[in-house]
Amino acid sequence: MLSTSSRTRLQVPVPSGRTVDSLQFTLDGRLLIIGYDTVLRVIDAATGALVRELQSCHTGYIHRMALAPDGRQLATASYDGTVRLWNVATLGCTAVLQGHDRDNAICVRYSPDSAVVATGSNDATVRLWRASDGRPLFVLRSPGLDWIETLFLTPNARRLLAAGADDSTHTTGLWQWDLPDLQKLGDDLAARPPKAVPELHGFRLEFPTEGQKQAGYTDAWLTACFSPDGRRLSVVCEGHTRVFHVAENAFSSEADWRFNPVLTLPCEECCQFSCFSLDSRRVALVLPKTVEVRDAS
């Protein structure tokens, strides 16, 4: 159903008895790829019509997915502990990324040049991989980070942000890592033994809460998602989704990160998670029985 309100809303029915765990717009915004159970379903984003369906993509639930900025590759993170890379044109699997220590691969993100894939898990690590062949590049760790929910690589790919949870304090927040120049890893990789994966260590950032009780703590945060341009952060809370604006000077130094709430999207039903279109102007909200697409600008 498509309503004609000021904020256009498209509702896509979810198969009976199924739970949508992930979705992603294609590069041109015309298609929406939805993941549920072990299935990938391609939907017309304007009409909701089914375009294509691929069964048994993983042996566990597909939890999250990401589209490479060049639109050619799709990555799916699954509860089977793997991340799989797919050719978008053919929906053929090109690589299987294995290395997280626990069963769940929680989230996945591409570098701006589509050359590197970042994955996060409940094993308290973020891992970087080469997208062309799935070779592991780095393991990222940080004190207090136990569960990674969403990732973002800055436009120059020299910093990575993770939104996640600290199980010891039962809080959620943001963590940052400074990265080497990922475009100059050729010589390093050639000299590195195949199983040698260097570690990088990060730190926790401050993040505003609804009540501004204490920076870095959010009581009702369920899931979070960065927009592709890094200027929006969607945080799903009880009964609504909040969209934060990331300040224009956010990438100059660690002290310049600023997150300002600019939009609240009430949800009549409990929202499970959200994702942005590649132009960062629309946000898709996954509800128990439908997927809603709303204006986030």
Side-chain angles (χ1 to χ4, degrees):
M1 179 176 68
L2 184 65
S3 68
T4 56
S5 61
S6 58
R7 294 193 181 276
T8 303
R9 179 183 301 183
L10 172 69
Q11 293 185 331
V12 180
V14 175
S16 177
R18 305 296 184 113
T19 299
V20 172
D21 287 320
S22 57
L23 70 166
Q24 178 67 60
F25 286 94
T26 55
L27 187 61
D28 59 10
R30 296 180 179 180
L31 301 176
L32 186 64
I33 304 173
I34 298 176
Y36 63 89
D37 292 351
T38 62
V39 178
L40 286 178
R41 174 174 281 198
V42 183
I43 301 294
D44 187 302
T47 66
L50 176 65
V51 176
R52 189 175 179 184
E53 187 171 276
L54 186 63
Q55 300 280 341
S56 302
C57 299
H58 283 267
T59 58
Y61 287 126
I62 299 171
H63 185 64
R64 293 291 184 268
M65 65 177 69
L67 186 72
D70 62 12
R72 297 178 181 179
Q73 191 177 74
L74 178 77
T76 55
S78 169
Y79 283 169
D80 65 12
T82 70
V83 173
R84 294 176 183 262
L85 306 182
W86 306 85
N87 181 304
V88 171
T90 65
L91 283 187
C93 182
T94 60
V96 179
L97 312 184
Q98 296 177 300
H100 285 291
D101 296 334
R102 297 187 183 175
D103 294 337
N104 301 342
I106 302 298
C107 56
V108 59
R109 189 82 181 213
Y110 281 90
S111 62
D113 63 0
S114 303
V116 175
V117 180
T119 64
S121 172
N122 63 347
D123 65 357
T125 69
V126 175
R127 294 174 181 266
L128 302 183
W129 318 75
R130 190 163 60 185
S132 61
D133 58 5
R135 179 168 179 174
L137 303 176
F138 294 98
V139 177
L140 280 55
R141 304 181 189 273
S142 184
L145 179 59
D146 296 301
W147 181 284
I148 296 94
E149 178 63 33
T150 186
L151 302 168
F152 174 68
L153 280 156
T154 55
N156 62 6
R158 297 304 299 270
R159 286 192 182 134
L160 183 142
L161 288 185
D166 182 343
D167 288 343
S168 64
T169 59
H170 303 289
T171 61
T172 51
L174 295 171
W175 281 260
Q176 175 182 310
W177 289 264
D178 295 320
L179 304 177
D181 191 339
L182 300 178
Q183 295 181 342
K184 298 180 179 180
L185 290 179
D187 294 339
D188 176 67
L189 286 178
R192 183 194 302 177
K195 294 185 178 181
V197 185
E199 290 192 2
L200 302 174
H201 295 271
F203 54 89
R204 187 167 182 168
L205 294 169
E206 293 186 351
F207 183 75
T209 65
E210 284 199 60
Q212 298 296 317
K213 298 177 183 178
Q214 184 176 353
Y217 286 67
T218 52
D219 297 330
W221 176 338
L222 300 180
T223 66
C225 178
F226 280 100
S227 63
D229 63 6
R231 305 304 181 187
R232 294 285 189 274
L233 174 65
S234 168
V235 174
V236 175
C237 303
E238 294 286 353
H240 65 276
T241 297
R242 302 192 78 193
V243 178
F244 291 83
H245 176 258
V246 182
E248 290 296 323
N249 64 343
F251 307 120
S252 58
S253 72
E254 65 183 70
D256 288 333
W257 287 105
R258 295 291 183 271
F259 301 93
N260 304 311
V262 294
L263 182 65
T264 299
L265 303 174
C267 299
E268 297 176 1
E269 301 175 278
C270 180
C271 181
Q272 296 168 311
F273 69 93
S274 62
C275 85
F276 287 89
S277 60
L278 289 183
D279 62 8
S280 302
R281 296 180 179 179
R282 292 178 294 168
V283 61
L285 309 178
V286 174
L287 304 176
K289 297 181 180 179
T290 63
V291 175
E292 293 190 1
V293 180
R294 301 192 189 181
D295 181 8
S297 58

PDB file of all heavy atoms in Angstrom, residues 9 236-241 264-272 285-287 292 294:
ATOM      1  N   ARG A   9       4.936   6.718   2.148  1.00  0.00           N
ATOM      2  CA  ARG A   9       5.125   5.472   2.862  1.00  0.00           C
ATOM      3  C   ARG A   9       4.736   4.296   1.968  1.00  0.00           C
ATOM      4  O   ARG A   9       3.634   4.240   1.447  1.00  0.00           O
ATOM      5  CB  ARG A   9       4.270   5.484   4.133  1.00  0.00           C
ATOM      6  CG  ARG A   9       4.350   4.233   4.962  1.00  0.00           C
ATOM      7  CD  ARG A   9       3.428   4.291   6.166  1.00  0.00           C
ATOM      8  NE  ARG A   9       3.744   5.413   7.025  1.00  0.00           N
ATOM      9  CZ  ARG A   9       3.115   5.641   8.181  1.00  0.00           C
ATOM     10  NH1 ARG A   9       2.160   4.818   8.584  1.00  0.00           N
ATOM     11  NH2 ARG A   9       3.448   6.681   8.907  1.00  0.00           N
ATOM     12  N   VAL A 236      16.990   3.035  16.604  1.00  0.00           N
ATOM     13  CA  VAL A 236      15.668   2.485  16.877  1.00  0.00           C
ATOM     14  C   VAL A 236      15.499   2.343  18.388  1.00  0.00           C
ATOM     15  O   VAL A 236      16.278   1.660  19.052  1.00  0.00           O
ATOM     16  CB  VAL A 236      15.481   1.120  16.194  1.00  0.00           C
ATOM     17  CG1 VAL A 236      14.141   0.497  16.587  1.00  0.00           C
ATOM     18  CG2 VAL A 236      15.576   1.270  14.682  1.00  0.00           C
ATOM     19  N   CYS A 237      14.476   3.009  18.919  1.00  0.00           N
ATOM     20  CA  CYS A 237      14.160   2.953  20.342  1.00  0.00           C
ATOM     21  C   CYS A 237      12.758   2.374  20.515  1.00  0.00           C
ATOM     22  O   CYS A 237      12.079   2.056  19.541  1.00  0.00           O
ATOM     23  CB  CYS A 237      14.232   4.345  20.971  1.00  0.00           C
ATOM     24  SG  CYS A 237      15.826   5.174  20.758  1.00  0.00           S
ATOM     25  N   GLU A 238      12.312   2.246  21.753  1.00  0.00           N
ATOM     26  CA  GLU A 238      10.970   1.743  22.016  1.00  0.00           C
ATOM     27  C   GLU A 238       9.931   2.734  21.492  1.00  0.00           C
ATOM     28  O   GLU A 238       9.876   3.866  21.940  1.00  0.00           O
ATOM     29  CB  GLU A 238      10.760   1.531  23.521  1.00  0.00           C
ATOM     30  CG  GLU A 238      11.622   0.447  24.133  1.00  0.00           C
ATOM     31  CD  GLU A 238      11.147  -0.950  23.750  1.00  0.00           C
ATOM     32  OE1 GLU A 238      10.076  -1.063  23.128  1.00  0.00           O
ATOM     33  OE2 GLU A 238      11.858  -1.922  24.077  1.00  0.00           O
ATOM     34  N   GLY A 239       9.134   2.319  20.504  1.00  0.00           N
ATOM     35  CA  GLY A 239       8.027   3.131  20.022  1.00  0.00           C
ATOM     36  C   GLY A 239       8.371   4.159  18.967  1.00  0.00           C
ATOM     37  O   GLY A 239       7.469   4.795  18.414  1.00  0.00           O
ATOM     38  N   HIS A 240       9.639   4.356  18.645  1.00  0.00           N
ATOM     39  CA  HIS A 240       9.992   5.335  17.620  1.00  0.00           C
ATOM     40  C   HIS A 240      11.424   5.108  17.133  1.00  0.00           C
ATOM     41  O   HIS A 240      12.194   4.371  17.749  1.00  0.00           O
ATOM     42  CB  HIS A 240       9.857   6.764  18.161  1.00  0.00           C
ATOM     43  CG  HIS A 240      10.815   7.083  19.270  1.00  0.00           C
ATOM     44  ND1 HIS A 240      10.565   6.769  20.581  1.00  0.00           N
ATOM     45  CD2 HIS A 240      12.043   7.653  19.251  1.00  0.00           C
ATOM     46  CE1 HIS A 240      11.583   7.154  21.333  1.00  0.00           C
ATOM     47  NE2 HIS A 240      12.499   7.683  20.554  1.00  0.00           N
ATOM     48  N   THR A 241      11.740   5.753  16.013  1.00  0.00           N
ATOM     49  CA  THR A 241      13.096   5.737  15.475  1.00  0.00           C
ATOM     50  C   THR A 241      13.589   7.173  15.402  1.00  0.00           C
ATOM     51  O   THR A 241      12.902   8.046  14.859  1.00  0.00           O
ATOM     52  CB  THR A 241      13.131   5.098  14.071  1.00  0.00           C
ATOM     53  OG1 THR A 241      12.711   3.729  14.171  1.00  0.00           O
ATOM     54  CG2 THR A 241      14.531   5.150  13.485  1.00  0.00           C
ATOM     55  N   THR A 264      12.229  12.509  14.433  1.00  0.00           N
ATOM     56  CA  THR A 264      11.686  11.381  15.169  1.00  0.00           C
ATOM     57  C   THR A 264      10.549  10.778  14.371  1.00  0.00           C
ATOM     58  O   THR A 264       9.619  11.484  13.981  1.00  0.00           O
ATOM     59  CB  THR A 264      11.176  11.800  16.563  1.00  0.00           C
ATOM     60  OG1 THR A 264      12.268  12.326  17.328  1.00  0.00           O
ATOM     61  CG2 THR A 264      10.581  10.614  17.308  1.00  0.00           C
ATOM     62  N   LEU A 265      10.634   9.478  14.081  1.00  0.00           N
ATOM     63  CA  LEU A 265       9.621   8.777  13.311  1.00  0.00           C
ATOM     64  C   LEU A 265       8.849   7.851  14.252  1.00  0.00           C
ATOM     65  O   LEU A 265       9.353   6.791  14.632  1.00  0.00           O
ATOM     66  CB  LEU A 265      10.268   7.959  12.188  1.00  0.00           C
ATOM     67  CG  LEU A 265      11.140   8.732  11.195  1.00  0.00           C
ATOM     68  CD1 LEU A 265      11.828   7.771  10.238  1.00  0.00           C
ATOM     69  CD2 LEU A 265      10.306   9.738  10.426  1.00  0.00           C
ATOM     70  N   PRO A 266       7.623   8.253  14.652  1.00  0.00           N
ATOM     71  CA  PRO A 266       6.840   7.375  15.535  1.00  0.00           C
ATOM     72  C   PRO A 266       6.463   6.089  14.807  1.00  0.00           C
ATOM     73  O   PRO A 266       6.234   6.073  13.599  1.00  0.00           O
ATOM     74  CB  PRO A 266       5.594   8.213  15.847  1.00  0.00           C
ATOM     75  CG  PRO A 266       5.964   9.623  15.497  1.00  0.00           C
ATOM     76  CD  PRO A 266       6.939   9.506  14.365  1.00  0.00           C
ATOM     77  N   CYS A 267       6.429   4.988  15.530  1.00  0.00           N
ATOM     78  CA  CYS A 267       6.048   3.691  14.975  1.00  0.00           C
ATOM     79  C   CYS A 267       4.894   3.124  15.788  1.00  0.00           C
ATOM     80  O   CYS A 267       5.022   2.947  17.000  1.00  0.00           O
ATOM     81  CB  CYS A 267       7.223   2.715  15.000  1.00  0.00           C
ATOM     82  SG  CYS A 267       8.646   3.247  14.027  1.00  0.00           S
ATOM     83  N   GLU A 268       3.762   2.857  15.109  1.00  0.00           N
ATOM     84  CA  GLU A 268       2.628   2.271  15.804  1.00  0.00           C
ATOM     85  C   GLU A 268       2.943   0.868  16.297  1.00  0.00           C
ATOM     86  O   GLU A 268       2.446   0.425  17.325  1.00  0.00           O
ATOM     87  CB  GLU A 268       1.405   2.249  14.877  1.00  0.00           C
ATOM     88  CG  GLU A 268       0.941   3.639  14.456  1.00  0.00           C
ATOM     89  CD  GLU A 268      -0.205   3.591  13.476  1.00  0.00           C
ATOM     90  OE1 GLU A 268      -0.633   2.462  13.143  1.00  0.00           O
ATOM     91  OE2 GLU A 268      -0.662   4.659  13.038  1.00  0.00           O
ATOM     92  N   GLU A 269       3.792   0.155  15.542  1.00  0.00           N
ATOM     93  CA  GLU A 269       4.249  -1.169  15.935  1.00  0.00           C
ATOM     94  C   GLU A 269       5.731  -1.102  16.284  1.00  0.00           C
ATOM     95  O   GLU A 269       6.420  -0.162  15.918  1.00  0.00           O
ATOM     96  CB  GLU A 269       4.028  -2.177  14.806  1.00  0.00           C
ATOM     97  CG  GLU A 269       2.582  -2.327  14.375  1.00  0.00           C
ATOM     98  CD  GLU A 269       2.458  -3.255  13.179  1.00  0.00           C
ATOM     99  OE1 GLU A 269       2.673  -2.786  12.059  1.00  0.00           O
ATOM    100  OE2 GLU A 269       2.166  -4.444  13.393  1.00  0.00           O
ATOM    101  N   CYS A 270       6.221  -2.084  16.981  1.00  0.00           N
ATOM    102  CA  CYS A 270       7.620  -2.101  17.389  1.00  0.00           C
ATOM    103  C   CYS A 270       8.529  -2.261  16.170  1.00  0.00           C
ATOM    104  O   CYS A 270       8.425  -3.237  15.437  1.00  0.00           O
ATOM    105  CB  CYS A 270       7.860  -3.229  18.384  1.00  0.00           C
ATOM    106  SG  CYS A 270       9.580  -3.338  18.940  1.00  0.00           S
ATOM    107  N   CYS A 271       9.406  -1.286  15.944  1.00  0.00           N
ATOM    108  CA  CYS A 271      10.362  -1.357  14.831  1.00  0.00           C
ATOM    109  C   CYS A 271      11.524  -2.258  15.240  1.00  0.00           C
ATOM    110  O   CYS A 271      12.066  -2.141  16.341  1.00  0.00           O
ATOM    111  CB  CYS A 271      10.860   0.039  14.480  1.00  0.00           C
ATOM    112  SG  CYS A 271      12.018   0.093  13.100  1.00  0.00           S
ATOM    113  N   GLN A 272      11.912  -3.163  14.342  1.00  0.00           N
ATOM    114  CA  GLN A 272      12.987  -4.104  14.642  1.00  0.00           C
ATOM    115  C   GLN A 272      14.357  -3.555  14.265  1.00  0.00           C
ATOM    116  O   GLN A 272      15.327  -3.756  14.965  1.00  0.00           O
ATOM    117  CB  GLN A 272      12.719  -5.426  13.930  1.00  0.00           C
ATOM    118  CG  GLN A 272      11.446  -6.108  14.436  1.00  0.00           C
ATOM    119  CD  GLN A 272      11.016  -7.262  13.559  1.00  0.00           C
ATOM    120  OE1 GLN A 272      10.935  -7.144  12.346  1.00  0.00           O
ATOM    121  NE2 GLN A 272      10.717  -8.394  14.184  1.00  0.00           N
ATOM    122  N   LEU A 285      11.990   1.072   7.528  1.00  0.00           N
ATOM    123  CA  LEU A 285      11.763   0.571   8.876  1.00  0.00           C
ATOM    124  C   LEU A 285      11.134  -0.811   8.799  1.00  0.00           C
ATOM    125  O   LEU A 285      10.123  -0.994   8.108  1.00  0.00           O
ATOM    126  CB  LEU A 285      10.845   1.514   9.656  1.00  0.00           C
ATOM    127  CG  LEU A 285      11.226   3.000   9.676  1.00  0.00           C
ATOM    128  CD1 LEU A 285      10.193   3.794  10.443  1.00  0.00           C
ATOM    129  CD2 LEU A 285      12.613   3.184  10.279  1.00  0.00           C
ATOM    130  N   VAL A 286      11.721  -1.781   9.485  1.00  0.00           N
ATOM    131  CA  VAL A 286      11.184  -3.137   9.502  1.00  0.00           C
ATOM    132  C   VAL A 286      10.267  -3.286  10.713  1.00  0.00           C
ATOM    133  O   VAL A 286      10.706  -3.195  11.857  1.00  0.00           O
ATOM    134  CB  VAL A 286      12.309  -4.185   9.561  1.00  0.00           C
ATOM    135  CG1 VAL A 286      11.721  -5.579   9.718  1.00  0.00           C
ATOM    136  CG2 VAL A 286      13.150  -4.115   8.296  1.00  0.00           C
ATOM    137  N   LEU A 287       8.978  -3.503  10.434  1.00  0.00           N
ATOM    138  CA  LEU A 287       7.971  -3.714  11.462  1.00  0.00           C
ATOM    139  C   LEU A 287       7.583  -5.202  11.471  1.00  0.00           C
ATOM    140  O   LEU A 287       7.981  -5.951  10.581  1.00  0.00           O
ATOM    141  CB  LEU A 287       6.759  -2.823  11.179  1.00  0.00           C
ATOM    142  CG  LEU A 287       7.067  -1.323  11.053  1.00  0.00           C
ATOM    143  CD1 LEU A 287       5.820  -0.540  10.674  1.00  0.00           C
ATOM    144  CD2 LEU A 287       7.687  -0.777  12.323  1.00  0.00           C
ATOM    145  N   GLU A 292       8.286  -0.413   5.999  1.00  0.00           N
ATOM    146  CA  GLU A 292       7.846   0.929   5.620  1.00  0.00           C
ATOM    147  C   GLU A 292       9.040   1.757   5.155  1.00  0.00           C
ATOM    148  O   GLU A 292      10.104   1.739   5.793  1.00  0.00           O
ATOM    149  CB  GLU A 292       7.169   1.622   6.796  1.00  0.00           C
ATOM    150  CG  GLU A 292       5.843   0.987   7.201  1.00  0.00           C
ATOM    151  CD  GLU A 292       5.068   1.823   8.204  1.00  0.00           C
ATOM    152  OE1 GLU A 292       5.553   2.914   8.568  1.00  0.00           O
ATOM    153  OE2 GLU A 292       3.979   1.392   8.592  1.00  0.00           O
ATOM    154  N   ARG A 294      10.273   5.585   4.480  1.00  0.00           N
ATOM    155  CA  ARG A 294       9.886   6.959   4.823  1.00  0.00           C
ATOM    156  C   ARG A 294      10.982   7.943   4.437  1.00  0.00           C
ATOM    157  O   ARG A 294      12.147   7.589   4.294  1.00  0.00           O
ATOM    158  CB  ARG A 294       9.619   7.078   6.336  1.00  0.00           C
ATOM    159  CG  ARG A 294       8.519   6.139   6.838  1.00  0.00           C
ATOM    160  CD  ARG A 294       8.121   6.500   8.235  1.00  0.00           C
ATOM    161  NE  ARG A 294       7.227   5.534   8.841  1.00  0.00           N
ATOM    162  CZ  ARG A 294       6.722   5.645  10.058  1.00  0.00           C
ATOM    163  NH1 ARG A 294       7.026   6.701  10.810  1.00  0.00           N
ATOM    164  NH2 ARG A 294       5.910   4.708  10.548  1.00  0.00           N
TER     165      ARG A 294
END
